[in-house]
Amino acid sequence: MSRVRVHNFSVSLDGYGTGEGQSLERPFGHAEGRLHDWFFRTRSFRAMHGEDGGDTGVDDALAGAWEPGIGAEIMGRNKFGPQRGPWEDHEWTGWWGEDPPFHTPVFVLTHHPRPPLVMKGGTTFHFIDATPQEALRQAREAAGGLDVRIGGGPTMVRDFLAADLIDHLHVAVVPILLGRGVRLWEGLEEMEKRFTVESTTTPSGITHVTFTRPADQ
């Protein structure tokens, strides 16, 4: 069975996975880029966008683990874009331009399905209204035996954790306080008991925590 993985999911010290007030100009709300600056600086992120340079080291090694072995992604609607409710703008194709970095089928969970959106580079966005279990079934079918990545945001990652569907979770704890936004850990008391937990803190100040389901489970 393919694994279900979360990579490079940043949270603040007070547990917020995104800020308040998302808009077209502010994809992460009032958090701006503070949650993800560590990732944006890495060589892996720059290479993802066809650019040279970038930081190396542990941050980069963990950042670069997001892609190998992935055959499909599931993301929440608010990772795809800032619209709420019925789709008013079908011209919107996501934050990533004509050639998104996923290069796989991507299943966008929404209460307002729409036709698939085919992009350059092998990315096709499928807009589905489904439970985590049904979304995972469809993504696994599309992944062809490869792993499925859960791409966020925090509400969707929390739902998949609550349903016990995640095998590997990498959380980057960023030393900032947001005070408001969407928390990752609400309602997940004792979740850590299901996983082997490891952590490392890098010179950038980021503490990387990985939760990995034991092989015998």
Side-chain angles (χ1 to χ4, degrees), residues 17-38:
T18 191
E20 188 176 85
Q22 184 192 48
S23 66
L24 180 62
E25 295 75 23
R26 305 171 83 189
F28 306 108
H30 83 287
E32 303 288 355
R34 290 179 290 159
L35 281 172
H36 305 92
D37 280 345
W38 73 271

mmCIF file with all atom_site columns, all heavy atoms in Angstrom, residues 17-38:
data_model
loop_
_atom_site.group_PDB
_atom_site.id
_atom_site.type_symbol
_atom_site.label_atom_id
_atom_site.label_alt_id
_atom_site.label_comp_id
_atom_site.label_asym_id
_atom_site.label_entity_id
_atom_site.label_seq_id
_atom_site.pdbx_PDB_ins_code
_atom_site.Cartn_x
_atom_site.Cartn_y
_atom_site.Cartn_z
_atom_site.occupancy
_atom_site.B_iso_or_equiv
_atom_site.pdbx_formal_charge
_atom_site.auth_seq_id
_atom_site.auth_comp_id
_atom_site.auth_asym_id
_atom_site.auth_atom_id
_atom_site.pdbx_PDB_model_num
ATOM 1   N N   . GLY A 1 17 ? -1.047 27.211 11.519 1.00 0.00 ? 17 GLY A N   1
ATOM 2   C CA  . GLY A 1 17 ? -0.495 26.777 10.239 1.00 0.00 ? 17 GLY A CA  1
ATOM 3   C C   . GLY A 1 17 ? -0.725 27.766 9.115  1.00 0.00 ? 17 GLY A C   1
ATOM 4   O O   . GLY A 1 17 ? -0.199 27.594 8.016  1.00 0.00 ? 17 GLY A O   1
ATOM 5   N N   . THR A 1 18 ? -1.496 28.805 9.376  1.00 0.00 ? 18 THR A N   1
ATOM 6   C CA  . THR A 1 18 ? -1.661 29.914 8.451  1.00 0.00 ? 18 THR A CA  1
ATOM 7   C C   . THR A 1 18 ? -2.219 31.093 9.234  1.00 0.00 ? 18 THR A C   1
ATOM 8   O O   . THR A 1 18 ? -2.750 30.922 10.330 1.00 0.00 ? 18 THR A O   1
ATOM 9   C CB  . THR A 1 18 ? -2.603 29.546 7.283  1.00 0.00 ? 18 THR A CB  1
ATOM 10  O OG1 . THR A 1 18 ? -2.531 30.558 6.266  1.00 0.00 ? 18 THR A OG1 1
ATOM 11  C CG2 . THR A 1 18 ? -4.041 29.399 7.736  1.00 0.00 ? 18 THR A CG2 1
ATOM 12  N N   . GLY A 1 19 ? -2.075 32.265 8.667  1.00 0.00 ? 19 GLY A N   1
ATOM 13  C CA  . GLY A 1 19 ? -2.563 33.459 9.345  1.00 0.00 ? 19 GLY A CA  1
ATOM 14  C C   . GLY A 1 19 ? -4.021 33.735 9.039  1.00 0.00 ? 19 GLY A C   1
ATOM 15  O O   . GLY A 1 19 ? -4.685 33.001 8.308  1.00 0.00 ? 19 GLY A O   1
ATOM 16  N N   . GLU A 1 20 ? -4.522 34.824 9.591  1.00 0.00 ? 20 GLU A N   1
ATOM 17  C CA  . GLU A 1 20 ? -5.908 35.245 9.385  1.00 0.00 ? 20 GLU A CA  1
ATOM 18  C C   . GLU A 1 20 ? -5.974 36.240 8.238  1.00 0.00 ? 20 GLU A C   1
ATOM 19  O O   . GLU A 1 20 ? -5.063 37.038 8.040  1.00 0.00 ? 20 GLU A O   1
ATOM 20  C CB  . GLU A 1 20 ? -6.421 35.902 10.669 1.00 0.00 ? 20 GLU A CB  1
ATOM 21  C CG  . GLU A 1 20 ? -7.884 36.221 10.670 1.00 0.00 ? 20 GLU A CG  1
ATOM 22  C CD  . GLU A 1 20 ? -8.319 36.776 12.023 1.00 0.00 ? 20 GLU A CD  1
ATOM 23  O OE1 . GLU A 1 20 ? -8.185 37.995 12.240 1.00 0.00 ? 20 GLU A OE1 1
ATOM 24  O OE2 . GLU A 1 20 ? -8.757 35.978 12.874 1.00 0.00 ? 20 GLU A OE2 1
ATOM 25  N N   . GLY A 1 21 ? -7.072 36.176 7.452  1.00 0.00 ? 21 GLY A N   1
ATOM 26  C CA  . GLY A 1 21 ? -7.293 37.181 6.417  1.00 0.00 ? 21 GLY A CA  1
ATOM 27  C C   . GLY A 1 21 ? -6.639 36.863 5.092  1.00 0.00 ? 21 GLY A C   1
ATOM 28  O O   . GLY A 1 21 ? -6.045 37.751 4.457  1.00 0.00 ? 21 GLY A O   1
ATOM 29  N N   . GLN A 1 22 ? -6.758 35.611 4.620  1.00 0.00 ? 22 GLN A N   1
ATOM 30  C CA  . GLN A 1 22 ? -6.212 35.261 3.315  1.00 0.00 ? 22 GLN A CA  1
ATOM 31  C C   . GLN A 1 22 ? -6.868 36.095 2.222  1.00 0.00 ? 22 GLN A C   1
ATOM 32  O O   . GLN A 1 22 ? -8.070 36.351 2.240  1.00 0.00 ? 22 GLN A O   1
ATOM 33  C CB  . GLN A 1 22 ? -6.436 33.779 3.024  1.00 0.00 ? 22 GLN A CB  1
ATOM 34  C CG  . GLN A 1 22 ? -5.794 33.324 1.708  1.00 0.00 ? 22 GLN A CG  1
ATOM 35  C CD  . GLN A 1 22 ? -6.253 31.941 1.273  1.00 0.00 ? 22 GLN A CD  1
ATOM 36  O OE1 . GLN A 1 22 ? -7.448 31.652 1.261  1.00 0.00 ? 22 GLN A OE1 1
ATOM 37  N NE2 . GLN A 1 22 ? -5.316 31.070 0.947  1.00 0.00 ? 22 GLN A NE2 1
ATOM 38  N N   . SER A 1 23 ? -6.053 36.506 1.239  1.00 0.00 ? 23 SER A N   1
ATOM 39  C CA  . SER A 1 23 ? -6.566 37.242 0.085  1.00 0.00 ? 23 SER A CA  1
ATOM 40  C C   . SER A 1 23 ? -5.650 36.950 -1.092 1.00 0.00 ? 23 SER A C   1
ATOM 41  O O   . SER A 1 23 ? -4.623 36.270 -0.954 1.00 0.00 ? 23 SER A O   1
ATOM 42  C CB  . SER A 1 23 ? -6.584 38.757 0.355  1.00 0.00 ? 23 SER A CB  1
ATOM 43  O OG  . SER A 1 23 ? -5.259 39.251 0.496  1.00 0.00 ? 23 SER A OG  1
ATOM 44  N N   . LEU A 1 24 ? -6.014 37.452 -2.261 1.00 0.00 ? 24 LEU A N   1
ATOM 45  C CA  . LEU A 1 24 ? -5.173 37.260 -3.443 1.00 0.00 ? 24 LEU A CA  1
ATOM 46  C C   . LEU A 1 24 ? -3.772 37.789 -3.216 1.00 0.00 ? 24 LEU A C   1
ATOM 47  O O   . LEU A 1 24 ? -2.784 37.187 -3.638 1.00 0.00 ? 24 LEU A O   1
ATOM 48  C CB  . LEU A 1 24 ? -5.823 37.960 -4.645 1.00 0.00 ? 24 LEU A CB  1
ATOM 49  C CG  . LEU A 1 24 ? -5.081 37.853 -5.979 1.00 0.00 ? 24 LEU A CG  1
ATOM 50  C CD1 . LEU A 1 24 ? -4.976 36.399 -6.418 1.00 0.00 ? 24 LEU A CD1 1
ATOM 51  C CD2 . LEU A 1 24 ? -5.793 38.671 -7.043 1.00 0.00 ? 24 LEU A CD2 1
ATOM 52  N N   . GLU A 1 25 ? -3.661 38.919 -2.522 1.00 0.00 ? 25 GLU A N   1
ATOM 53  C CA  . GLU A 1 25 ? -2.353 39.535 -2.280 1.00 0.00 ? 25 GLU A CA  1
ATOM 54  C C   . GLU A 1 25 ? -1.628 38.897 -1.107 1.00 0.00 ? 25 GLU A C   1
ATOM 55  O O   . GLU A 1 25 ? -0.407 39.024 -0.989 1.00 0.00 ? 25 GLU A O   1
ATOM 56  C CB  . GLU A 1 25 ? -2.515 41.033 -2.018 1.00 0.00 ? 25 GLU A CB  1
ATOM 57  C CG  . GLU A 1 25 ? -3.044 41.842 -3.194 1.00 0.00 ? 25 GLU A CG  1
ATOM 58  C CD  . GLU A 1 25 ? -4.547 41.643 -3.420 1.00 0.00 ? 25 GLU A CD  1
ATOM 59  O OE1 . GLU A 1 25 ? -5.242 41.258 -2.437 1.00 0.00 ? 25 GLU A OE1 1
ATOM 60  O OE2 . GLU A 1 25 ? -5.009 41.876 -4.552 1.00 0.00 ? 25 GLU A OE2 1
ATOM 61  N N   . ARG A 1 26 ? -2.377 38.217 -0.203 1.00 0.00 ? 26 ARG A N   1
ATOM 62  C CA  . ARG A 1 26 ? -1.779 37.647 1.008  1.00 0.00 ? 26 ARG A CA  1
ATOM 63  C C   . ARG A 1 26 ? -2.219 36.193 1.141  1.00 0.00 ? 26 ARG A C   1
ATOM 64  O O   . ARG A 1 26 ? -3.154 35.869 1.869  1.00 0.00 ? 26 ARG A O   1
ATOM 65  C CB  . ARG A 1 26 ? -2.205 38.451 2.237  1.00 0.00 ? 26 ARG A CB  1
ATOM 66  C CG  . ARG A 1 26 ? -1.915 39.928 2.141  1.00 0.00 ? 26 ARG A CG  1
ATOM 67  C CD  . ARG A 1 26 ? -2.563 40.684 3.297  1.00 0.00 ? 26 ARG A CD  1
ATOM 68  N NE  . ARG A 1 26 ? -1.761 40.653 4.502  1.00 0.00 ? 26 ARG A NE  1
ATOM 69  C CZ  . ARG A 1 26 ? -2.181 41.079 5.699  1.00 0.00 ? 26 ARG A CZ  1
ATOM 70  N NH1 . ARG A 1 26 ? -3.423 41.517 5.840  1.00 0.00 ? 26 ARG A NH1 1
ATOM 71  N NH2 . ARG A 1 26 ? -1.382 41.032 6.750  1.00 0.00 ? 26 ARG A NH2 1
ATOM 72  N N   . PRO A 1 27 ? -1.551 35.279 0.422  1.00 0.00 ? 27 PRO A N   1
ATOM 73  C CA  . PRO A 1 27 ? -1.957 33.865 0.445  1.00 0.00 ? 27 PRO A CA  1
ATOM 74  C C   . PRO A 1 27 ? -1.957 33.248 1.837  1.00 0.00 ? 27 PRO A C   1
ATOM 75  O O   . PRO A 1 27 ? -2.731 32.328 2.100  1.00 0.00 ? 27 PRO A O   1
ATOM 76  C CB  . PRO A 1 27 ? -0.920 33.184 -0.454 1.00 0.00 ? 27 PRO A CB  1
ATOM 77  C CG  . PRO A 1 27 ? -0.408 34.268 -1.336 1.00 0.00 ? 27 PRO A CG  1
ATOM 78  C CD  . PRO A 1 27 ? -0.441 35.518 -0.512 1.00 0.00 ? 27 PRO A CD  1
ATOM 79  N N   . PHE A 1 28 ? -1.097 33.763 2.732  1.00 0.00 ? 28 PHE A N   1
ATOM 80  C CA  . PHE A 1 28 ? -1.017 33.225 4.083  1.00 0.00 ? 28 PHE A CA  1
ATOM 81  C C   . PHE A 1 28 ? -1.584 34.187 5.123  1.00 0.00 ? 28 PHE A C   1
ATOM 82  O O   . PHE A 1 28 ? -1.259 34.110 6.309  1.00 0.00 ? 28 PHE A O   1
ATOM 83  C CB  . PHE A 1 28 ? 0.435  32.857 4.420  1.00 0.00 ? 28 PHE A CB  1
ATOM 84  C CG  . PHE A 1 28 ? 1.049  31.928 3.414  1.00 0.00 ? 28 PHE A CG  1
ATOM 85  C CD1 . PHE A 1 28 ? 2.023  32.384 2.539  1.00 0.00 ? 28 PHE A CD1 1
ATOM 86  C CD2 . PHE A 1 28 ? 0.643  30.602 3.323  1.00 0.00 ? 28 PHE A CD2 1
ATOM 87  C CE1 . PHE A 1 28 ? 2.589  31.536 1.596  1.00 0.00 ? 28 PHE A CE1 1
ATOM 88  C CE2 . PHE A 1 28 ? 1.193  29.746 2.390  1.00 0.00 ? 28 PHE A CE2 1
ATOM 89  C CZ  . PHE A 1 28 ? 2.166  30.210 1.522  1.00 0.00 ? 28 PHE A CZ  1
ATOM 90  N N   . GLY A 1 29 ? -2.438 35.100 4.674  1.00 0.00 ? 29 GLY A N   1
ATOM 91  C CA  . GLY A 1 29 ? -3.044 36.044 5.591  1.00 0.00 ? 29 GLY A CA  1
ATOM 92  C C   . GLY A 1 29 ? -2.011 36.936 6.258  1.00 0.00 ? 29 GLY A C   1
ATOM 93  O O   . GLY A 1 29 ? -0.974 37.260 5.673  1.00 0.00 ? 29 GLY A O   1
ATOM 94  N N   . HIS A 1 30 ? -2.282 37.313 7.505  1.00 0.00 ? 30 HIS A N   1
ATOM 95  C CA  . HIS A 1 30 ? -1.385 38.259 8.181  1.00 0.00 ? 30 HIS A CA  1
ATOM 96  C C   . HIS A 1 30 ? -0.025 37.650 8.503  1.00 0.00 ? 30 HIS A C   1
ATOM 97  O O   . HIS A 1 30 ? 0.909  38.362 8.855  1.00 0.00 ? 30 HIS A O   1
ATOM 98  C CB  . HIS A 1 30 ? -2.043 38.795 9.453  1.00 0.00 ? 30 HIS A CB  1
ATOM 99  C CG  . HIS A 1 30 ? -1.911 37.896 10.644 1.00 0.00 ? 30 HIS A CG  1
ATOM 100 N ND1 . HIS A 1 30 ? -2.631 36.715 10.774 1.00 0.00 ? 30 HIS A ND1 1
ATOM 101 C CD2 . HIS A 1 30 ? -1.123 37.986 11.760 1.00 0.00 ? 30 HIS A CD2 1
ATOM 102 C CE1 . HIS A 1 30 ? -2.305 36.134 11.920 1.00 0.00 ? 30 HIS A CE1 1
ATOM 103 N NE2 . HIS A 1 30 ? -1.405 36.887 12.536 1.00 0.00 ? 30 HIS A NE2 1
ATOM 104 N N   . ALA A 1 31 ? 0.107  36.310 8.356  1.00 0.00 ? 31 ALA A N   1
ATOM 105 C CA  . ALA A 1 31 ? 1.421  35.683 8.558  1.00 0.00 ? 31 ALA A CA  1
ATOM 106 C C   . ALA A 1 31 ? 2.403  36.078 7.469  1.00 0.00 ? 31 ALA A C   1
ATOM 107 O O   . ALA A 1 31 ? 3.626  35.957 7.654  1.00 0.00 ? 31 ALA A O   1
ATOM 108 C CB  . ALA A 1 31 ? 1.272  34.160 8.585  1.00 0.00 ? 31 ALA A CB  1
ATOM 109 N N   . GLU A 1 32 ? 1.881  36.565 6.328  1.00 0.00 ? 32 GLU A N   1
ATOM 110 C CA  . GLU A 1 32 ? 2.728  36.895 5.172  1.00 0.00 ? 32 GLU A CA  1
ATOM 111 C C   . GLU A 1 32 ? 3.626  35.702 4.853  1.00 0.00 ? 32 GLU A C   1
ATOM 112 O O   . GLU A 1 32 ? 3.169  34.575 4.829  1.00 0.00 ? 32 GLU A O   1
ATOM 113 C CB  . GLU A 1 32 ? 3.523  38.178 5.453  1.00 0.00 ? 32 GLU A CB  1
ATOM 114 C CG  . GLU A 1 32 ? 2.675  39.385 5.809  1.00 0.00 ? 32 GLU A CG  1
ATOM 115 C CD  . GLU A 1 32 ? 1.896  39.963 4.634  1.00 0.00 ? 32 GLU A CD  1
ATOM 116 O OE1 . GLU A 1 32 ? 2.072  39.492 3.489  1.00 0.00 ? 32 GLU A OE1 1
ATOM 117 O OE2 . GLU A 1 32 ? 1.095  40.894 4.866  1.00 0.00 ? 32 GLU A OE2 1
ATOM 118 N N   . GLY A 1 33 ? 4.917  35.917 4.640  1.00 0.00 ? 33 GLY A N   1
ATOM 119 C CA  . GLY A 1 33 ? 5.819  34.813 4.332  1.00 0.00 ? 33 GLY A CA  1
ATOM 120 C C   . GLY A 1 33 ? 6.593  34.286 5.529  1.00 0.00 ? 33 GLY A C   1
ATOM 121 O O   . GLY A 1 33 ? 7.478  33.450 5.366  1.00 0.00 ? 33 GLY A O   1
ATOM 122 N N   . ARG A 1 34 ? 6.241  34.754 6.746  1.00 0.00 ? 34 ARG A N   1
ATOM 123 C CA  . ARG A 1 34 ? 7.070  34.429 7.910  1.00 0.00 ? 34 ARG A CA  1
ATOM 124 C C   . ARG A 1 34 ? 7.099  32.940 8.237  1.00 0.00 ? 34 ARG A C   1
ATOM 125 O O   . ARG A 1 34 ? 8.103  32.427 8.740  1.00 0.00 ? 34 ARG A O   1
ATOM 126 C CB  . ARG A 1 34 ? 6.590  35.219 9.128  1.00 0.00 ? 34 ARG A CB  1
ATOM 127 C CG  . ARG A 1 34 ? 6.879  36.714 9.052  1.00 0.00 ? 34 ARG A CG  1
ATOM 128 C CD  . ARG A 1 34 ? 6.361  37.425 10.284 1.00 0.00 ? 34 ARG A CD  1
ATOM 129 N NE  . ARG A 1 34 ? 4.902  37.453 10.311 1.00 0.00 ? 34 ARG A NE  1
ATOM 130 C CZ  . ARG A 1 34 ? 4.187  37.631 11.424 1.00 0.00 ? 34 ARG A CZ  1
ATOM 131 N NH1 . ARG A 1 34 ? 4.797  37.744 12.598 1.00 0.00 ? 34 ARG A NH1 1
ATOM 132 N NH2 . ARG A 1 34 ? 2.871  37.670 11.368 1.00 0.00 ? 34 ARG A NH2 1
ATOM 133 N N   . LEU A 1 35 ? 6.007  32.220 7.967  1.00 0.00 ? 35 LEU A N   1
ATOM 134 C CA  . LEU A 1 35 ? 5.998  30.789 8.247  1.00 0.00 ? 35 LEU A CA  1
ATOM 135 C C   . LEU A 1 35 ? 6.886  30.006 7.290  1.00 0.00 ? 35 LEU A C   1
ATOM 136 O O   . LEU A 1 35 ? 7.362  28.917 7.630  1.00 0.00 ? 35 LEU A O   1
ATOM 137 C CB  . LEU A 1 35 ? 4.569  30.238 8.153  1.00 0.00 ? 35 LEU A CB  1
ATOM 138 C CG  . LEU A 1 35 ? 3.646  30.477 9.342  1.00 0.00 ? 35 LEU A CG  1
ATOM 139 C CD1 . LEU A 1 35 ? 2.228  30.040 8.985  1.00 0.00 ? 35 LEU A CD1 1
ATOM 140 C CD2 . LEU A 1 35 ? 4.133  29.716 10.573 1.00 0.00 ? 35 LEU A CD2 1
ATOM 141 N N   . HIS A 1 36 ? 7.106  30.538 6.096  1.00 0.00 ? 36 HIS A N   1
ATOM 142 C CA  . HIS A 1 36 ? 7.741  29.748 5.046  1.00 0.00 ? 36 HIS A CA  1
ATOM 143 C C   . HIS A 1 36 ? 9.067  30.318 4.554  1.00 0.00 ? 36 HIS A C   1
ATOM 144 O O   . HIS A 1 36 ? 9.641  29.795 3.607  1.00 0.00 ? 36 HIS A O   1
ATOM 145 C CB  . HIS A 1 36 ? 6.769  29.606 3.868  1.00 0.00 ? 36 HIS A CB  1
ATOM 146 C CG  . HIS A 1 36 ? 5.442  29.034 4.270  1.00 0.00 ? 36 HIS A CG  1
ATOM 147 N ND1 . HIS A 1 36 ? 4.370  29.817 4.639  1.00 0.00 ? 36 HIS A ND1 1
ATOM 148 C CD2 . HIS A 1 36 ? 5.035  27.751 4.397  1.00 0.00 ? 36 HIS A CD2 1
ATOM 149 C CE1 . HIS A 1 36 ? 3.351  29.052 4.959  1.00 0.00 ? 36 HIS A CE1 1
ATOM 150 N NE2 . HIS A 1 36 ? 3.725  27.801 4.829  1.00 0.00 ? 36 HIS A NE2 1
ATOM 151 N N   . ASP A 1 37 ? 9.562  31.373 5.201  1.00 0.00 ? 37 ASP A N   1
ATOM 152 C CA  . ASP A 1 37 ? 10.828 31.960 4.775  1.00 0.00 ? 37 ASP A CA  1
ATOM 153 C C   . ASP A 1 37 ? 11.945 30.924 4.738  1.00 0.00 ? 37 ASP A C   1
ATOM 154 O O   . ASP A 1 37 ? 12.776 30.922 3.832  1.00 0.00 ? 37 ASP A O   1
ATOM 155 C CB  . ASP A 1 37 ? 11.231 33.107 5.703  1.00 0.00 ? 37 ASP A CB  1
ATOM 156 C CG  . ASP A 1 37 ? 10.499 34.404 5.371  1.00 0.00 ? 37 ASP A CG  1
ATOM 157 O OD1 . ASP A 1 37 ? 9.908  34.486 4.275  1.00 0.00 ? 37 ASP A OD1 1
ATOM 158 O OD2 . ASP A 1 37 ? 10.522 35.324 6.213  1.00 0.00 ? 37 ASP A OD2 1
ATOM 159 N N   . TRP A 1 38 ? 11.981 30.030 5.735  1.00 0.00 ? 38 TRP A N   1
ATOM 160 C CA  . TRP A 1 38 ? 13.033 29.012 5.774  1.00 0.00 ? 38 TRP A CA  1
ATOM 161 C C   . TRP A 1 38 ? 13.008 28.151 4.515  1.00 0.00 ? 38 TRP A C   1
ATOM 162 O O   . TRP A 1 38 ? 14.067 27.791 3.970  1.00 0.00 ? 38 TRP A O   1
ATOM 163 C CB  . TRP A 1 38 ? 12.876 28.130 7.023  1.00 0.00 ? 38 TRP A CB  1
ATOM 164 C CG  . TRP A 1 38 ? 11.711 27.176 6.924  1.00 0.00 ? 38 TRP A CG  1
ATOM 165 C CD1 . TRP A 1 38 ? 10.422 27.407 7.295  1.00 0.00 ? 38 TRP A CD1 1
ATOM 166 C CD2 . TRP A 1 38 ? 11.731 25.851 6.386  1.00 0.00 ? 38 TRP A CD2 1
ATOM 167 N NE1 . TRP A 1 38 ? 9.627  26.316 7.035  1.00 0.00 ? 38 TRP A NE1 1
ATOM 168 C CE2 . TRP A 1 38 ? 10.411 25.340 6.472  1.00 0.00 ? 38 TRP A CE2 1
ATOM 169 C CE3 . TRP A 1 38 ? 12.741 25.042 5.854  1.00 0.00 ? 38 TRP A CE3 1
ATOM 170 C CZ2 . TRP A 1 38 ? 10.069 24.060 6.040  1.00 0.00 ? 38 TRP A CZ2 1
ATOM 171 C CZ3 . TRP A 1 38 ? 12.404 23.768 5.419  1.00 0.00 ? 38 TRP A CZ3 1
ATOM 172 C CH2 . TRP A 1 38 ? 11.087 23.289 5.515  1.00 0.00 ? 38 TRP A CH2 1
#
